[in-house]
C-alpha cells in the first residue's frame, strides 16, 4: 500500500510539474535589414487569443505560459507579417527578425510598380496601363510615349528606339535583367522583344545605370515582367486586337499561378499577323509581318531567398517594301524622284523577298540570398541564341537562300552584391563575364559580318547616401574589358586600298600547303579594348511637390563588329558599307538636369542635357563604286568629335473635373567637330493631348492627340554627283534633304465592364492618322521609296479573369 501511495504522489507531482504555467517568454523584434529594434510591433498569441506590443527597444514579454509549442503572428506597418512557432520548456528568450523596409526593397508593395531604377538619372516609367495600348505594335512604338524618345525605322515594322538622338549599340536593352544580344548594331534590326511580356518599362537617358553596362552612351531600357506575389491565387489575361491597316490581328494571353509559400509560375504567349500595309493613297507591297512568341517562368521567392528559371522564344518574319530593293544608282535616282513606289500591287498577306526571318531564344537562371545585417547576393546565368536571316531578291534557286545568315550565341554570368544594412549609405558591386560567338556561313555573297568570338569582363561599384532630409547623392565606377577575335576574308585590292598592308600585316594568315585564297587574304583581326565609366549625381528635394536632379556620367563604347568589319553590299539600302579597323572607342561626357514639380492638378518635368562624344562613329557616303551588278554609293564608318544637346518637356494639367491636357515636347541638336549637323537627328516635335475620363461610365476614357513633327532644317549635305547609267548624264543623288513637316491626329477611347465578380472586359477603340495624311518621316530609312502609314482603325478586347 505504501508503494502505491508513493507512486501516486510521484504521478501527481509530475503532472503538476508538466502543467506548470508560470513560464515567461521574453522576445525581441529586430529589423532583418539592419538589426535595429522595431517599436510597436503587434504580437498575437494564437493559443490564448491575446496581444502584446513591443516596446521602444523592440522587446516584449508574455507571461503565464505552459510547456508546449505556441504560435505567434507578428505584424508591423511596412513589414511583411510573419508567423513563428516557439517551443516553451521553461523560461525562453527569442529574437525574431522582420523586414521593416520591405517597400523600399521593392518586393511586395503594389506601389513598387512605379519605383524607378535609378536615383539621379533622367528616368521615365511606362506602366501597364500605357503598355496595354501597344499589344499589337512594337517596343519602339511604345517607347515614343516618353519625351525625348523617337525611333529610326526601316518601314513601319522595323522600329528601333532612339534616345536623345542616339540608337543601336549606344542603347542597352535589359529584358528581365538580361542584356539583349541580337545583332543590335544594324539600323534595320529591331529589338527582339514581345512587348506583351512587359509589365513596366523604364527609360533611362544616358549612362546613369552602371550596374547594367558602361557602354550605354544613349541610354538604358529596362523591361520588367509582372512580379510574383506571395498569395494563393490564379489569374490570367487575354487580349485580342484587330486593325484596318494591314488587316491585321493579334492574340496574346497569360496565366499566373502564385502560392503563399512563395512558389510561382507564369506562361505568356502571343501571335500576330499583318498583310500589306497602306499609305494614304496606295498599298505598300510586301510589308506584311508574322510573329509568334512565348515565355515561361517558374521559381520560388521568399524575403530571405529565392530562385527563378525563365525561357522565352520569339520568331519574326518581316517583309521589306518591294520598291526598296534597288539594283543600282539608276533605280535609286528614279525612286527618289518618283512620288509613288515603283511597285504597287493589290493587298496580300504573302511575304516574299526581300524579307527578314529572325529567331531569338533566351534562357535565364537566377538565385538570390539575403543575409542579416549585411545585404543581398544575386547570381545569374543566361544564354541567348539569335539567328538572323535576311533574304534579298536573287536569281534561280538561290532566291530561297538567305543573303545574310548570322547565328549569334551568348553566355553571360553575373554576380551582384547589394550592401543595404545601412539605409543612410548603400553600396552595390558586381562582376560580369560573357562569351559570345558569331557564325556566318557561306551564302554565296561576301559576308557583311565575319565569324568572330568576343570576350567581355566587367566590374562595377555604385553607392548612394543620404546627406540630410533634402539631399541624396549617388556615384559609381565601372571597368570593362572586351576582346574581339575575328576570322575574315579581305579582297587584296580592298586591303591595300585602305592601307591595311602597312598597319595590320600581322593579321594575315599565310596560306598553308594546298590552300588557295585567290584574290583574297585570310585574316585574323584581334582587338582588345579597356573601357572606364563613371557617374555622380544628386537629388535635392525642395518640398513635397518638387525636386531637382543633377547628373554627370562618363561612358565609353568600343566599336561594334559592323563598325570594324563591314565589307559588302546592302541590297535594300543600295549601298556598299565599309568598316574601319582603325576605329577606337567612343568617349561620352554627359551632363543633365531635371526639374520635377507636381501638385494635385498640375505636373511638369523638364529634362535638359549636354553630351560631348569624342570619336563619335557614323556612316558617311564617300564615293560611287562600279561593279558587275551596277553602280552603288559607298558608305564608310568614320569618327568625329560630336556634341549633342537639347531639352525634353512633359506636362499635364487637370483644368476642370474629368478633363486633362498633356504635352510632350522634344528639341535636340547635334554637330560634329566642324560645327556641321550630324546625320539622322530627330526634328523638333510636340504632342498635345486632350483627355476626358468618367469613372461612373464604366471607367470611360477618350482622347484626341495632335502629333506635330517639324521639318529637320539642320542636316549634313551628303549629296553627290553620279552618272545616270541610262542617260549618261551627270545628276545629283539627293540622299540628304529631309521631307516636309507634318501634323497627325489620333483618337483613342476605352471602357471597362464587369462580366462577373472576378472577370472584367476592357474594350478600346482608336483611330491613328484620322485624316489619312500623306507624309514621310526623316528617320525612316525607306522614305526615299514610299510614304508612311495612312489611316488605321483599331479595336481591342481585353479580358481579365
Amino acid at each position: 500500500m505504501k508503494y502505491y501511495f508513493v507512486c501516486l504522489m510521484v504521478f501527481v507531482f509530475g503532472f503538476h510539474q508538466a502543467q506548470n504555467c508560470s513560464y515567461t517568454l521574453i522576445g525581441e523584434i529586430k529589423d532583418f535589414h539592419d538589426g535595429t529594434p522595431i517599436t510597436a510591433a503587434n504580437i498575437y498569441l494564437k493559443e490564448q487569443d491575446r496581444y502584446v506590443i513591443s516596446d521602444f527597444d523592440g522587446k516584449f514579454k508574455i507571461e503565464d505560459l505552459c510547456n508546449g509549442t505556441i504560435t505567434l503572428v507578428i505584424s508591423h506597418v511596412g513589414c511583411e507579417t510573419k508567423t513563428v512557432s516557439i517551443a516553451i520548456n521553461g523560461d525562453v528568450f527569442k529574437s525574431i527578425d522582420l523586414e521593416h523596409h520591405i517597400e523600399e526593397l521593392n518586393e511586395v508593395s503594389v506601389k513598387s510598380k512605379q519605383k524607378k531604377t535609378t536615383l539621379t538619372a533622367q528616368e521615365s516609367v511606362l506602366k501597364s496601363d500605357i503598355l496595354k495600348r501597344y499589344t499589337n505594335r512594337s517596343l519602339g512604338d511604345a517607347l515614343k510615349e516618353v519625351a525625348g524618345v523617337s525611333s529610326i525605322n526601316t518601314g513601319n515594322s522595323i522600329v528601333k528606339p532612339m534616345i536623345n538622338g542616339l540608337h543601336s549599340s549606344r542603347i542597352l536593352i535589359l529584358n528581365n535583367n538580361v542584356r539583349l544580344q541580337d545583332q543590335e548594331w544594324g539600323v534595320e534590326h529591331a529589338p527582339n522583344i514581345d512587348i506583351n511580356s512587359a509589365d513596366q518599362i523604364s527609360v533611362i537617358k544616358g549612362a546613369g545605370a552602371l550596374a547594367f553596362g558602361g557602354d550605354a552612351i544613349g541610354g538604358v531600357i529596362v523591361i520588367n515582367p509582372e512580379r510574383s506575389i506571395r498569395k494563393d491565387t490564379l489569374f490570367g489575361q487575354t487580349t485580342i486586337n484587330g486593325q484596318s491597316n494591314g488587316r491585321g490581328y493579334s492574340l496574346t494571353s497569360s496565366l499566373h499561378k502564385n502560392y503563399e509559400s512563395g512558389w510561382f509560375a507564369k506562361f505568356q504567349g502571343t501571335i500576330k499577323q499583318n498583310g500589306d500595309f497602306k499609305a494614304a493613297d496606295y498599298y505598300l507591297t510586301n510589308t506584311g509581318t508574322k510573329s509568334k512568341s512565348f515565355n515561361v517562368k517558374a521559381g520560388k521567392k521568399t524575403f530571405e531567398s529565392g530562385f527563378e528559371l525563365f525561357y522565352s522564344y520569339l520568331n519574326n518574319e518581316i517583309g521589306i517594301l518591294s520598291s526598296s530593293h534597288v539594283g543600282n544608282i539608276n533605280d535609286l535616282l528614279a525612286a527618289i524622284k518618283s512620288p509613288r513606289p515603283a511597285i504597287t500591287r493589290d493587298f496580300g498577306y504573302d511575304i516574299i523577298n526581300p524579307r527578314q526571318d529572325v529567331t531569338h531564344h533566351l534562357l535565364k537562371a537566377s538565385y538570390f540570398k539575403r543575409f542579416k545585417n549585411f545585404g543581398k547576393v544575386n547570381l545569374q546565368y543566361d544564354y541567348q541564341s539569335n539567328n538572323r536571316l535576311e533574304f534579298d531578291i536573287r536569281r534561280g534557286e538561290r532566291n530561297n537562300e538567305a543573303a545574310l545568315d548570322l547565328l549569334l550565341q551568348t553566355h553571360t554570368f553575373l554576380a551582384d552584391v547589394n550592401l543595404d544594412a545601412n539605409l543612410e549609405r548603400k553600396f552595390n558591386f558586381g562582376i560580369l563575364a560573357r562569351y559570345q560567338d558569331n557564325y556566318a556561313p557561306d551564302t554565296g555573297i561576301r559576308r557583311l559580318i565575319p565569324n568572330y568570338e568576343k570576350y567581355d569582363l566587367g566590374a562595377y561599384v555604385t553607392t548612394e547616401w543620404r546627406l540630410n532630409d533634402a539631399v541624396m547623392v549617388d556615384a559609381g565606377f565601372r571597368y570593362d574589358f572586351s576582346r574581339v577575335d575575328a576570322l575574315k576574308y579581305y579582297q587584296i585590292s580592298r586591303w591595300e586600298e585602305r592601307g591595311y598592308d602597312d598597319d595590320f600585316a600581322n593579321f594575315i594568315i599565310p596560306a598553308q600547303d594546298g590552300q588557295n585564297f585567290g584574290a583574297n587574304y585570310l585574316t585574323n583581326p584581334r582587338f582588345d579594348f579597356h573601357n572606364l565609366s563613371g557617374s555622380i549625381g544628386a537629388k535635392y528635394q525642395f518640398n513635397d511637390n518638387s525636386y531637382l536632379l543633377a547628373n554627370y556620367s562618363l561612358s565609353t563604347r568600343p566599336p561594334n563588329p559592323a563598325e570594324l568589319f563591314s565589307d559588302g553590299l546592302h541590297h535594300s539600302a543600295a549601298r556598299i558599307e565599309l568598316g574601319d579597323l582603325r576605329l577606337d572607342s567612343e568617349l561620352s561626357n554627359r551632363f543633365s538636369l531635371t526639374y520635377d514639380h507636381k501638385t494635385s492638378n498640375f505636373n511638369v518635368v523638364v529634362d535638359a542635357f549636354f553630351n560631348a562624344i569624342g570619336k563619335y562613329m557614323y556612316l558617311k557616303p564617300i564615293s560611287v563604286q562600279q561593279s558587275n551588278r551596277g553602280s552603288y554609293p559607298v558608305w564608310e564608318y568614320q569618327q568625329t568629335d560630336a556634341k549633342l544637346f537639347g531639352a525634353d518637356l512633359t506636362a499635364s494639367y487637370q483644368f476642370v473635373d474629368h478633363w486633362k491636357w498633356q504635352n510632350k515636347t522634344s528639341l535636340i541638336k547635334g554637330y560634329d567637330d566642324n560645327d556641321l549637323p550630324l546625320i539622322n537627328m530627330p526634328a523638333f516635335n510636340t504632342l498635345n493631348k486632350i483627355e476626358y475620363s468618367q469613372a461612373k461610365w464604366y471607367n470611360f476614357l477618350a482622347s484626341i492627340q495632335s502629333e506635330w513633327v517639324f521639318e529637320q532644317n539642320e542636316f549634313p549635305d551628303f549629296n553627290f554627283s553620279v552618272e545616270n547609267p541610262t542617260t549618261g548624264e551627270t545628276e545629283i543623288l539627293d540622299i540628304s534633304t529631309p521631307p516636309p513637316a507634318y501634323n497627325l491626329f489620333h483618337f483613342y477611347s476605352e471602357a471597362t465592364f464587369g462580366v462577373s465578380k472576378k472577370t472584367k472586359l476592357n474594350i478600346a477603340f482608336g483611330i491613328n492618322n484620322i485624316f489619312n495624311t500623306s507624309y514621310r518621316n526623316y528617320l525612316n530609312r525607306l522614305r526615299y521609296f514610299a510614304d508612311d502609314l495612312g489611316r488605321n482603325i483599331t479595336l481591342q478586347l481585353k479580358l481579365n479573369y
Side-chain angles (χ1 to χ4, degrees):
M1 187 71 181
K2 182 178 179 182
Y3 171 79
Y4 289 109
F5 177 77
V6 171
C7 290
L8 178 63
M9 292 301 294
V10 170
F11 174 78
V12 171
F13 181 78
F15 179 78
H16 174 73
Q17 287 293 100
Q19 293 301 308
N20 186 350
C21 294
S22 62
Y23 298 127
T24 299
L25 166 66
I26 296 178
E28 179 182 43
I29 309 296
K30 296 192 302 180
D31 191 318
F32 180 98
H33 186 58
D34 55 15
T36 56
I38 295 180
T39 303
N42 288 302
I43 300 99
Y44 173 63
L45 176 58
K46 275 189 173 183
E47 286 74 14
Q48 298 183 13
D49 190 25
R50 60 171 164 148
Y51 287 88
V52 295
I53 298 176
S54 62
D55 62 17
F56 183 79
D57 296 319
K59 302 289 181 60
F60 68 92
K61 180 166 63 174
I62 302 177
E63 298 178 314
D64 302 326
L65 294 174
C66 306
N67 280 340
T69 300
I70 63 172
T71 303
L72 302 181
V73 179
I74 301 128
S75 60
H76 188 265
V77 176
C79 295
E80 185 180 31
T81 299
K82 188 171 187 176
T83 301
V84 296
S85 296
I86 302 174
I88 302 299
N89 186 16
D91 294 334
V92 176
F93 173 82
K94 182 70 174 179
S95 179
I96 301 170
D97 296 305
L98 287 185
E99 177 43 59
H100 185 248
H101 309 288
I102 195 76
E103 294 188 7
E104 292 191 45
L105 292 174
N106 208 11
E107 292 295 328
V108 175
S109 173
V110 174
K111 293 192 299 182
S112 68
K113 291 185 178 181
Q114 305 177 31
K115 187 176 179 67
K116 291 187 175 182
T117 307
T118 61
L119 177 66
T120 66
Q122 294 176 325
E123 180 178 358
S124 301
V125 176
L126 294 178
K127 296 178 289 184
S128 57
D129 59 334
I130 297 296
L131 298 178
K132 72 179 182 180
R133 304 181 185 184
Y134 293 90
T135 56
N136 62 332
R137 300 174 70 181
S138 71
L139 172 68
D141 290 321
L143 294 178
K144 286 187 280 189
E145 286 280 345
V146 176
V149 179
S150 52
S151 65
I152 187 161
N153 294 20
T154 301
N156 54 279
S157 301
I158 302 176
V159 184
K160 204 167 184 67
M162 173 183 281
I163 301 176
N164 289 152
L166 301 174
H167 58 85
S168 300
S169 295
R170 297 184 181 96
I171 293 179
L172 187 160
I173 298 178
L174 212 69
N175 182 21
N176 194 14
N177 205 46
V178 176
R179 177 168 180 167
L180 190 64
Q181 303 284 344
D182 63 348
Q183 305 282 7
E184 69 276 2
W185 47 264
V187 171
E188 69 279 15
H189 301 174
N192 289 290
I193 296 288
D194 176 14
I195 194 171
N196 296 293
S197 65
D199 182 62
Q200 173 184 297
I201 299 178
S202 292
V203 178
I204 303 167
K205 301 172 184 176
L210 291 179
F212 302 139
D215 56 345
I217 288 177
V220 181
I221 298 169
V222 182
I223 301 169
N224 290 318
E226 190 166 0
R227 290 182 177 276
S228 60
I229 56 176
R230 290 183 61 184
K231 183 178 180 181
D232 289 327
T233 181
L234 175 67
F235 62 95
Q237 182 182 100
T238 297
T239 303
I240 302 173
N241 287 279
Q243 63 181 50
S244 63
N245 201 326
R247 304 179 194 178
Y249 70 87
S250 72
L251 171 66
T252 182
S253 189
S254 63
L255 189 64
H256 308 250
K257 176 60 179 173
N258 298 290
Y259 297 89
E260 189 174 355
S261 61
W263 287 97
F264 64 90
K266 175 195 173 184
F267 174 85
Q268 184 267 327
T270 302
I271 57 172
K272 301 179 185 179
Q273 182 168 10
N274 293 288
D276 291 334
F277 289 95
K278 189 178 182 181
D281 302 318
Y282 49 81
Y283 284 105
L284 302 168
T285 300
N286 195 46
T287 55
T289 63
K290 293 180 183 178
S291 178
K292 51 185 179 291
S293 66
F294 74 89
N295 66 80
V296 59
K297 71 174 182 176
K300 183 180 182 181
K301 289 185 180 179
T302 63
F303 174 74
E304 295 185 18
S305 65
F307 73 93
E308 177 185 304
L309 298 175
F310 175 79
Y311 170 75
S312 72
Y313 164 86
L314 182 143
N315 174 259
N316 284 328
E317 187 176 2
I318 303 171
I320 307 297
L321 181 72
S322 292
S323 298
S324 70
H325 185 94
V326 293
N328 51 43
I329 288 289
N330 189 41
D331 292 345
L332 187 56
L333 283 168
I336 292 174
K337 292 179 180 179
S338 176
R340 295 173 63 92
I343 302 173
T344 55
R345 303 190 184 103
D346 292 336
F347 174 85
Y349 283 100
D350 293 338
I351 299 175
I352 59 176
N353 296 349
R355 62 187 174 91
Q356 295 182 4
D357 192 330
V358 184
T359 301
H360 191 85
H361 300 270
L362 187 157
L363 176 65
K364 165 193 159 183
S366 62
Y367 172 80
F368 76 86
K369 173 71 175 176
R370 281 198 173 90
F371 298 91
K372 294 181 183 180
N373 303 324
F374 177 73
K376 181 180 177 183
V377 176
N378 301 276
L379 300 174
Q380 178 178 304
Y381 165 79
D382 59 78
Y383 165 76
Q384 295 178 75
S385 172
N386 185 265
N387 187 205
R388 168 171 290 277
L389 303 174
E390 297 187 5
F391 297 83
D392 283 316
I393 299 175
R394 306 174 71 180
R395 296 178 181 178
E397 295 181 357
R398 287 220 149 174
N399 191 49
N400 297 319
E401 184 179 348
L404 180 69
D405 185 348
L406 299 174
L407 176 60
L408 183 70
Q409 299 185 82
T410 308
H411 302 264
T412 304
F413 174 77
L414 295 167
D416 175 271
V417 178
N418 185 12
L419 304 179
D420 55 7
N422 180 1
L423 288 182
E424 302 301 318
R425 185 72 176 266
K426 300 179 183 179
F427 288 93
N428 194 72
F429 59 89
I431 58 173
L432 169 147
R434 177 180 293 125
Y435 168 75
Q436 189 172 81
D437 175 73
N438 183 73
Y439 175 64
D442 182 17
T443 63
I445 293 176
R446 178 172 294 277
R447 295 179 178 93
L448 185 66
I449 303 296
N451 296 338
Y452 68 83
E453 292 180 312
K454 188 168 182 283
Y455 307 85
D456 295 301
L457 293 172
Y460 66 89
V461 58
T462 64
T463 182
E464 61 181 67
W465 64 95
R466 184 184 297 276
L467 299 184
N468 53 51
D469 290 341
V471 180
M472 290 282 290
V473 176
D474 68 354
F477 175 80
R478 184 180 180 107
Y479 166 76
D480 287 283
F481 167 79
S482 294
R483 167 171 290 179
V484 179
D485 191 345
L487 195 65
K488 177 176 174 57
Y489 286 97
Y490 274 97
Q491 291 176 320
I492 295 176
S493 57
R494 179 84 74 195
W495 183 269
E496 294 176 347
E497 167 195 304
R498 302 186 66 77
Y500 292 164
D501 49 339
D502 295 326
D503 296 337
F504 304 109
N506 59 310
F507 288 167
I508 299 174
I509 300 176
Q512 303 297 320
D513 293 340
Q515 288 183 316
N516 182 10
F517 301 141
N520 300 294
Y521 284 137
L522 176 61
T523 66
N524 179 207
R526 183 179 297 172
F527 296 99
D528 291 343
F529 298 98
H530 301 269
N531 298 304
L532 300 177
S533 306
S535 71
I536 185 168
K539 178 180 180 180
Y540 182 78
Q541 192 83 37
F542 293 103
N543 48 50
D544 291 340
N545 297 327
S546 59
Y547 63 81
L548 180 71
L549 302 179
N551 184 274
Y552 163 73
S553 61
L554 168 72
S555 54
T556 49
R557 183 184 74 88
N560 62 45
E563 292 160 338
L564 288 171
F565 306 124
S566 286
D567 181 23
L569 177 63
H570 259 177
H571 285 274
S572 62
R575 68 190 187 195
I576 295 169
E577 295 180 3
L578 300 178
D580 193 335
L581 298 179
R582 300 181 183 88
L583 295 178
D584 201 357
S585 296
E586 291 179 337
L587 179 65
S588 166
N589 288 275
R590 190 178 191 272
F591 303 85
S592 66
L593 283 173
T594 295
Y595 176 72
D596 188 310
H597 177 76
K598 181 183 294 185
T599 64
S600 58
N601 61 350
F602 177 69
N603 179 220
V604 61
V605 180
V606 180
D607 291 334
F609 76 95
F610 176 82
N611 195 356
I613 306 177
K615 300 182 180 180
Y616 175 85
M617 287 171 263
Y618 68 105
L619 267 172
K620 178 180 179 179
I622 58 171
S623 64
V624 174
Q625 180 173 308
Q626 300 287 336
S627 73
N628 56 5
R629 297 179 181 176
S631 302
Y632 296 94
V634 178
W635 291 63
E636 178 186 64
Y637 281 100
Q638 296 187 2
Q639 290 191 299
T640 185
D641 291 334
K643 52 183 178 290
L644 294 87
F645 56 91
D648 306 319
L649 170 70
T650 303
S652 64
Y653 179 56
Q654 186 94 31
F655 50 92
V656 294
D657 288 346
H658 313 299
W659 289 93
K660 180 190 287 187
W661 164 81
Q662 293 177 297
N663 173 268
K664 294 184 179 71
T665 300
S666 296
L667 171 68
I668 181 172
K669 299 290 184 181
Y671 302 96
D672 65 14
D673 54 359
N674 294 315
D675 289 330
L676 297 176
L678 296 176
I679 192 172
N680 290 333
M681 288 291 109
F684 176 82
N685 61 88
T686 182
L687 283 76
N688 287 278
K689 180 165 68 174
I690 297 292
E691 182 178 279
Y692 176 80
S693 60
Q694 177 55 269
K696 295 180 180 179
W697 299 351
Y698 303 100
N699 289 320
F700 175 76
L701 179 149
S703 65
I704 290 286
Q705 178 177 283
S706 163
E707 178 186 356
W708 190 3
V709 179
F710 286 50
E711 181 175 346
Q712 177 58 276
N713 53 21
E714 292 190 321
F715 57 92
D717 184 2
F718 287 160
N719 300 332
F720 50 85
S721 299
V722 297
E723 181 181 332
N724 189 319
T726 301
T727 65
E729 297 179 355
T730 299
E731 299 186 30
I732 297 297
L733 182 64
D734 188 355
I735 57 175
S736 300
T737 305
Y742 57 87
N743 191 6
L744 308 179
F745 290 88
H746 314 297
F747 171 77
Y748 177 83
S749 63
E750 66 173 56
T752 302
F753 304 90
V755 178
S756 67
K757 186 176 181 180
K758 295 184 177 181
T759 304
K760 293 183 178 181
L761 174 64
N762 177 272
I763 301 177
F765 173 79
I767 308 175
N768 293 325
N769 193 358
I770 296 173
F771 300 111
N772 203 29
T773 301
S774 296
Y775 71 100
R776 299 193 182 194
N777 189 328
Y778 172 61
L779 294 179
N780 192 331
R781 199 171 63 87
L782 300 188
R783 65 182 171 87
Y784 305 117
F785 311 103
D787 292 340
D788 276 271
L789 291 186
R791 183 186 297 115
N792 186 25
I793 300 172
T794 62
L795 177 65
Q796 180 187 89
L797 305 178
K798 179 181 178 183
L799 192 65
N800 293 299
Y801 46 88

